[in-house]
Amino acid sequence: MADSIPLDVEKIYLGGKEHHVRTRCGSVSVIVYGDQDKPALITYPDLALNHMSCFQGLFFCPEAASLLLHNFCIYHISPPGHELGAAPICESTSPHSVDDLADQILEVLNFFGLGAVMCMGVTAGAYILTLFAMRYRERVLGLILVSPLCRAPSWTEWFYNKVMSNLLYFYGMCGLLKEFLLQRYFSKEVRGTAEVPESDIVQACRRLLDERYASNVMRFLEAINSRPDLSSGLKRLRCRTLIFVGDSSPFHSEALCMTSKLDRRFSALVEVQACGSMVTEEQPHAMLIPMEYFFMGYGLYRPCKLSGSPRSPLSPSCISPELLSPESMGLKLKPIKTRVSLEV
């Protein structure tokens, strides 16, 4: 951690309090970090993941943690049975649909007495939060979506998911299933080859996947594999939406499709080079400056005490203008797709 960042990120991140919120569709784990008097930012992870395996890289990045924790109280929502130490969901429990999962978020917000919130989700989690924003527009300030889904599964994705579902049913969290999931999350650059070992983040994710119960993962997978198409209703969304996607993500075309369906006055697309779906883990630094400009539209800024930090990328006084080019940030920005209105 940079010496000039006066923030103990690990202590704050690991010092959250877990709440189990009872909802109509069962209990939901929510881990809360930060000052609950601040605006709320809720997160929702991708399939088979939780906040530790999906958002740890972003929140362990000192500048990102400073930006987010300075402005928000973080509420990490886990899909049913995906939280740390989760037990198998009882077989007699009815399967959840994506509508059920979106309604659970509303019940979580009501439990904590939250009004309109900022939302951040990855892939399947991004779909759930988008559905939530469409059903309960008055409860969403903005969306930060990473490699999001918006359409019903293609035949290829549907078949791929069915293969994973069968593996989960017959073999549990086996090696082949974990390889399928790692291909879903990460680019080949970090997954490694016969000559190059896989990166630390992939190894850590592989270990965390060992903690998931196959039956719990299968429930979330089947809900996502039965999801309806949301694309026709995206034009009616009026909250600002910031989309990140790795150019090596298997859901790259989904992100492009979603961007084309959103109102361009309120949306922006950031494509991250040499990155898979989980930008939050693989290249979290690429999210910093786009998020900062996104938050400016809400009157939210970086912490003042970081403004003099010579090592903070959030300090414009320390950045030469040429370094703000998309290429220098490691990003591919589509000029037509990155217009964000700063008007409320």
Side-chain angles (χ1 to χ4, degrees):
M1 185 181 299
D3 294 338
S4 57
I5 304 297
L7 180 68
D8 188 345
V9 176
E10 186 168 355
K11 181 177 179 182
I12 290 176
Y13 190 78
L14 298 179
K17 181 178 180 181
E18 184 174 23
H19 302 259
H20 289 276
V21 181
R22 292 186 178 181
T23 72
R24 180 179 55 83
C25 297
S27 179
V28 178
S29 170
V30 184
I31 298 185
V32 182
Y33 298 91
D35 183 354
Q36 289 185 254
D37 289 333
K38 292 182 177 180
L41 184 151
I42 66 171
T43 73
Y44 210 99
D46 191 18
L47 175 72
L49 303 177
N50 54 39
H51 72 285
M52 285 296 291
S53 45
C54 196
F55 298 102
Q56 178 175 257
L58 180 64
F59 282 87
F60 270 33
C61 181
E63 291 84 359
S66 298
L67 174 66
L68 295 171
L69 289 169
H70 175 73
N71 289 297
F72 299 101
C73 181
I74 313 299
Y75 296 78
H76 291 297
I77 302 175
S78 292
H82 283 54
E83 66 271 17
L84 294 172
I89 297 174
C90 180
E91 291 184 4
S92 62
T93 303
S94 300
H96 297 145
S97 67
V98 289
D99 290 326
D100 293 330
L101 298 177
D103 288 342
Q104 278 188 331
I105 295 173
L106 178 65
E107 294 185 67
V108 167
L109 267 55
N110 291 340
F111 175 85
F112 288 104
L114 302 175
V117 299
M118 188 71 67
C119 299
M120 179 186 295
V122 177
T123 311
Y127 177 92
I128 298 298
L129 291 177
T130 303
L131 177 60
F132 173 74
M134 295 175 70
R135 290 168 67 94
Y136 306 103
R137 296 178 192 175
E138 71 284 356
R139 305 301 291 270
V140 177
L141 287 172
L143 292 168
I144 301 173
L145 307 176
V146 181
S147 305
L149 308 172
C150 69
R151 294 177 291 190
S154 64
W155 282 110
T156 302
E157 186 197 344
W158 181 89
F159 179 76
Y160 195 84
N161 288 344
K162 280 297 182 183
V163 170
M164 287 201 294
S165 185
N166 286 332
L167 286 172
L168 286 164
Y169 183 80
F170 289 107
Y171 303 104
M173 294 296 290
C174 61
L176 181 58
L177 187 278
K178 284 187 281 189
E179 290 302 322
F180 281 171
L181 289 172
L182 292 173
Q183 289 176 23
R184 173 190 179 97
Y185 306 147
F186 299 109
S187 67
K188 61 183 179 182
E189 285 81 6
V190 296
R191 292 201 312 272
T193 62
E195 295 79 22
V196 180
E198 63 186 17
S199 70
D200 291 343
I201 59 171
V202 176
Q203 293 178 25
C205 187
R206 188 186 294 276
R207 290 192 296 270
L208 289 167
L209 287 174
D210 287 332
E211 301 175 7
R212 299 281 79 73
Y213 279 99
S215 58
N216 296 353
V217 175
M218 189 166 65
R219 283 172 171 268
F220 191 20
L221 175 59
E222 290 179 346
I224 289 297
N225 210 30
S226 302
R227 67 183 187 267
D229 192 321
L230 301 181
S231 55
S232 62
L234 291 175
K235 282 286 186 190
R236 296 192 294 273
L237 272 182
R238 285 296 176 266
C239 64
R240 294 187 186 88
T241 304
L242 176 61
I243 296 176
F244 293 93
V245 65
D247 63 2
S248 298
S249 169
F251 305 106
H252 183 265
S253 62
E254 278 285 314
L256 297 182
C257 174
M258 184 170 188
T259 305
S260 70
K261 301 294 184 182
L262 288 166
D263 190 323
R264 292 181 179 177
R265 295 173 298 169
F266 306 108
S267 61
L269 171 69
V270 180
E271 293 180 81
V272 184
Q273 295 177 342
C275 187
S277 298
M278 201 152 43
V279 184
T280 50
E281 290 293 311
E282 194 169 340
Q283 293 197 38
H285 58 278
M287 300 178 66
L288 292 174
I289 293 177
M291 282 198 306
E292 185 185 16
Y293 280 98
F294 182 70
F295 292 148
M296 283 181 184
Y298 299 89
L300 303 173
Y301 299 90
R302 66 184 182 279
C304 294
K305 60 187 175 184
L306 294 181
S307 60
S309 168
R311 301 176 67 179
S312 171
L314 302 182
S315 179
S317 62
C318 303
I319 301 176
S320 58
E322 60 271 16
L323 291 182
L324 290 177
S325 68
E327 294 77 10
S328 298
M329 292 164 57
L331 311 175
K332 292 192 301 181
L333 301 184
K334 301 291 187 179
I336 295 178
K337 299 174 182 174
T338 54
R339 293 184 291 187
V340 183
S341 171
L342 297 184
E343 299 177 2
V344 177

